[in-house]
Amino acid sequence: MSEHLRAQGMNTSQMYVVLRASYMSASPVLLIPPQIFGFLVCMGVILAIGNAIWEHEVGTRFQVYLPWDEAVDSAFFSGFLSFWSYIIILNTVVPISLYVRAPSPEWKEHTPPVWGSEEWASGQLHVPSPGRPLFEALCTFLSGERQEGRVGAFLCWLCAAGSTFRLSLPFPTQVPVPRCLLRSRLSLGRGPAAKAYVGGAPPPLLDPSLTSCPLCSVEVIRLGHSYFINWDKKMFCMKKRTPAEARTTTLNEELGQVEYIFSDKTGTLTQNIMVFNKCSIDGRSYGDVFDVLGHKAELGEKPEPVDFSFNPLADKKFLFWDPSLLEAVKIGDPHTHEFFRLLSLCHTVMSEEKNEGELYYKAQSPDEGALVTAARNFGFVFRSRTPKTITVHEMGTAITYQLLAILDFNNIRKRMSVIVRNPEGKIRLYCKGADTILLDRLHHSTQELLNTTMDHLNEYAGEGLRTLVLAYRDLDEEYYEDWAERRLQASLAQDSREDRLASIYEEVENNMMLLGATAIEDKLQQGVPETIALLTLANIKIWVLTGDKQETAVNIGYSCKMLTDDMTEVFIVTGHTVLEVREELRKAREKMMDSSRSVGNGFTYQEKLCSSKLTSVLEAVAGEYALVINGHSLAHALEADMELEFLETACACKAVICCRVTPLQKAQVVELVKKYKKAVTLAIGDGANDVSMIKTAHIGVGISGQEGIQAVLASDYSFSQFKFLQRLLLVHGRWSYLRMCKFLCYFFYKNFAFTMVHFWFGFFCGFSAQTVYDQYFITLYNIVYTSLPVLAMGVFDQDVPEQRSMEYPKLYEPGQLNLLFNKREFFICIAQGIYTSVLMFFIPYGVFAEATRDDGTQLADYQSFAVTVATSLVIVVSVQIGLDTGYWTAINHFFIWGSLAVYFAILFAMHSNGLFDMFPNQFRFVEEAKGAASKDCLRKMKLAPMSSKEVTGVTKCEVVQNRRQGGRVEPEMGMGKVRVVTPEATDSSPSPGNAQNTLAQPTVWLTIVLTTVVCIMPVVAFRFLRLNLKPDLSDTVRYTQLVRKKQKAQHRCMRRVGRTGSRRSGYAFSHQEGFGELIMSGKNMRLSSLALSSFTTRSSSSWIESLRRKKSDSASSPSGGADKPLKG
């Protein structure tokens, strides 16, 4: 900023005022509705009009004693300044700090003008031109220092306005300014004790009680919630030594509002530890175990595993149960040898031999590692590789193949090939990939073998195994030389390089001979079925997006309890054209509607689709449905003219499984739900192919599994097991949402109760923007007196224990429906705060009008009234937060009662005579109580109207002469008169201070107790009636828990007395770009393998049905906004 100003030709002797705002980068917790701004403006307008009327009708009578300057003798201008002063005083009703960070002003570095210097005398201040006319108008009305308070109020308004616009211009204009504006420190009116600096250190532009406390409290609460997640021992994986990690602090409350979960399958629902289970070679299936009668052995009845002791390089951890495959290898079956030769050559695995005979494979994916390990155990051991060779030990004989080319995996090709030359000089291409890709590229002579292999593939898929098809092709030397030359030219092309290479690869990968297929088992993680069942009961819809084949996905769906036999129907969409997909989706919707009509729901289906709003009753249909859709069908369903039909159908289903999807399609599905549904979405995955999906969802969760840490680095939360997701959402997420809602409700309540007292006081002080409280109480109210109790509640509060949160998943629904903080709850908090402020002001005011002290003197004075109201306010809000706290800890007790103790300690210290004697200029609030009044007392403390007749006999000269002699002018509150106290009449004896004098009166304490009871009793009565007449589920759970404890205690007492689905080719569909190019380049490549993970499963939790119905419309429209976190 300094450089910018210098560039405009300004020297360092000039002063500038630059105001700008700095907004939060993160999304706000709450977007304040515009009505609250209108409410603030209306209050300011009412009080400004009242000020103008009062100044015109009554204020003019005071000009005999305290005359105004002619330029300021205007009731309209007085009302204008009063409006902005009240905007500043009442701005706590708009908690800007919740969504606007404390401004960071940029100030020109300079030395403030010295008092009496030439610069001071010139009264020159450079003001940016956009504000020059308004500023000149202000300066025209100002000529003396007695209007400093009004000038400060006006400048404070500019500071507040600076939160929304930047005031600066490269062309400064010199404007004559009163000397009061050139002081290094200006008082900003009589409202919150904010200070502005024209030079010197930059101040905050808003009252510290606004800018620091709420924002800091929100961040501290979120940080505490994040640490609770990190410290949760029940989300710690002992085998991997991996804790849960919250990588953000801004999404904790959204964890309690999730409605849709998008999950990967491999490595997320499954362990991603691949085991070679079965295979099909030349039309024969291997891997099944038969008993003596020729029947398949059931699970747990398998005999001893195959003995691989003949192979000294075999992996001892590898297990296989069918000895016939090993026999085929030993007898030298050519198809079997070629099958395992392909597995040992067609890969990008790196081998490491630390000791003689101890091989360690570093695979790009668990699938490749499992296939190469299987070939290793059956006698085809991949030993080493160079950029141009691959060495394999085939049945004990070392053979080195020349590596001519690697045609690597990617998400489009879904296959991998290598071209090698054997020692005899024969060139052969080996290929493995997804069945849907390779079957179309086989030679027509393999049709009979293809039919048999397809039967085996379907069988493997039905068992939930991941499959790949293997094929080869012989190439002659001449063809290969020509093809290699064209491949080289394509790889050197400057444009469309990828497309040209794909075309070259497509050419050579054709007319291949089928060898067989592999089937790899990927077991479910422990606790996955229980977790999915629990999340489903919490009204969370789970969509699985996988690269596996349809049969595999369906099988896994049944295994993890997403799909059940009790479902009304499972719709499978497999259309290859737009019309076929549209027709299948239409039939699915019709079946759901027909089923609803058959059970008598009475719905009338009317298909109505539009881009802005989608109205549907499908989500209220009877029965449970599931949708399974293939990748090619999904590509059509995601088109612009069909995406709404697909979304409507899918959202009506309890479970959705998308098969054969690419990473881009995963992100598109998540984006579709975000675009049209008013719901919080969560995506969870473990690999690089899940990163786009994780980043697209509102909340991203990464599983630290076998595929690296790409998903973890892109996520907001991470852990090692899918089952930890239930605890993240149902415990930490629900508690975070509950705590933040309670914090916001209490924050608005206490701020309205604090602020609205000034509004009522305005009708009794001539609308002069005089505050009820002293400036130190205003500053410390949000920072010290009320910050720690609400902080403790926001960090530690809980409605039910964690065990009950897991046992009753329906407790999660209020967050999804946004029941705990919305517009209704927001305005209820406002109404309660306004009600409290009315009683807070008028009960003490009514009592003080007739009350007297112990010595018989009048109790009604401004100081005593302010102390009484402030004390009542602190006690009431402390009792209120005690009622709001559902879970008491030692920290809650310490903060609540400690805040009250700190309030009284500061009150007595600030109102003590000793502090005033040491710093008389800083504690003028005490000065008035002690007896030294100022001229503002006469004009601003107008608690009762005064007439000119009532001040007859007291002349201006008498007032001035009396003040010079040490006397004072006192308004007699409640009497409508003023009296002049001479120095002789002033009691010079020391007094204990205003706070001590006021709180020593029994009447004051009776008033405080009465105010507290009247403010709190309606809240207690309302909650008692609601608990007994209309309890919510959390109330019922707490009551059930209490009954169980009592029954358990009685039982102990009595006992004491008595004693006296298919996963095809998911690897090919979800695999990222391979390492073939890196291997061929000769660069060293090492991949680290992560430890295997296992975790003790926990017994499934029980649950009860919800005791209350959802408050939202069951046929909610998916056209709304995607974000719903804590919005009103």
Side-chain angles (χ1 to χ4, degrees), residues 829-1007:
C829 297
I830 291 178
Q832 184 183 358
I834 294 175
Y835 166 80
T836 302
S837 69
V838 170
L839 299 178
M840 200 81 64
F841 177 80
F842 285 102
I843 291 179
Y845 185 84
V847 172
F848 274 44
E850 303 295 336
T852 60
R853 299 179 182 272
D854 294 340
D855 57 2
T857 59
Q858 184 73 19
L859 180 60
D861 65 83
Y862 173 64
Q863 295 287 314
S864 300
F865 179 77
V867 170
T868 303
V869 174
T871 305
S872 300
L873 175 64
V874 173
I875 293 177
V876 168
V877 297
S878 297
V879 174
Q880 179 64 45
I881 198 171
L883 294 176
D884 292 341
T885 301
Y887 181 74
W888 284 86
T889 64
I891 298 178
N892 294 87
H893 284 286
F894 178 76
F895 280 171
I896 292 178
W897 313 126
S899 296
L900 284 175
V902 169
Y903 164 72
F904 284 107
I906 295 178
L907 176 67
F908 292 142
M910 290 293 184
H911 288 244
S912 64
N913 289 333
L915 201 59
F916 168 71
D917 292 337
M918 290 186 291
F919 309 101
N921 294 330
Q922 280 73 29
F923 293 91
R924 296 190 177 185
F925 194 80
V926 183
E927 175 189 1
E928 296 172 2
K930 194 174 179 183
S934 65
K935 56 187 177 183
D936 273 343
C937 291
L938 185 63
R939 286 192 44 79
K940 299 302 179 184
M941 296 174 58
K942 303 182 279 285
L943 293 190
M946 305 178 186
S947 64
S948 58
K949 294 180 181 180
E950 293 172 330
V951 296
T952 302
V954 181
T955 65
K956 177 181 179 181
C957 295
E958 291 175 345
V959 173
V960 175
Q961 181 180 4
N962 181 72
R963 293 191 59 193
R964 288 176 178 174
Q965 296 174 356
R968 66 181 187 272
V969 180
E970 291 183 351
E972 296 187 6
M973 301 172 66
M975 302 296 295
K977 302 177 182 180
V978 296
R979 59 191 178 100
V980 179
V981 182
T982 63
E984 295 78 9
T986 303
D987 183 10
S988 60
S989 60
S991 61
N994 174 68
Q996 292 90 329
N997 287 332
T998 300
L999 297 180
Q1001 303 299 319
T1003 304
V1004 173
W1005 281 107
L1006 180 61
T1007 304

Side-chain angles (χ1 to χ4, degrees), residues 288-331:
D288 290 323
V289 181
F290 299 89
D291 56 21
V292 293
L293 299 178
H295 301 106
K296 278 187 179 183
E298 299 295 334
L299 184 64
E301 299 178 359
K302 291 182 178 180
E304 290 296 323
V306 175
D307 182 14
F308 295 103
S309 59
F310 79 97
N311 184 1
L313 296 178
D315 186 350
K316 295 179 174 54
K317 296 180 182 179
F318 180 83
L319 299 177
F320 196 76
W321 310 97
D322 188 357
S324 61
L325 181 58
L326 182 59
E327 293 175 2
V329 172
K330 289 183 177 181
I331 64 176

Side-chain angles (χ1 to χ4, degrees), residues 148 151 155 180-188 194-196 198:
E148 179 179 338
V151 175
L155 287 183
C180 64
L181 289 181
L182 290 178
R183 294 181 180 178
S184 61
R185 184 172 181 173
L186 288 178
S187 172
L188 299 190
K195 302 293 181 181
V198 184

Side-chain angles (χ1 to χ4, degrees), residues 261 263-264 268-269 525-528 531-532 535 542 684 703 719-726:
I261 293 178
S263 174
D264 179 38
T268 303
L269 301 179
Q525 294 182 15
Q526 294 179 344
V528 168
T531 299
I532 290 180
L535 295 177
I542 301 176
I684 180 171
I703 299 291
F719 39 76
S720 60
Q721 295 285 315
F722 180 83
K723 65 180 181 180
F724 295 151
L725 183 62
Q726 60 175 311

Side-chain angles (χ1 to χ4, degrees), residues 33 153 202 249 260 267 360 389 483 491 584 653 716 729 745 824 881 886 902 904 952 984 987 1022 1082:
T249 62
Y260 289 87
Y360 296 91
T389 64
W483 178 87
S491 64
E584 290 178 3
C653 298
D716 303 303
L729 298 183
C745 290
R824 177 177 175 273
I881 198 171
V902 169
F904 284 107
T952 302
E984 295 78 9
D987 183 10
F1022 172 77

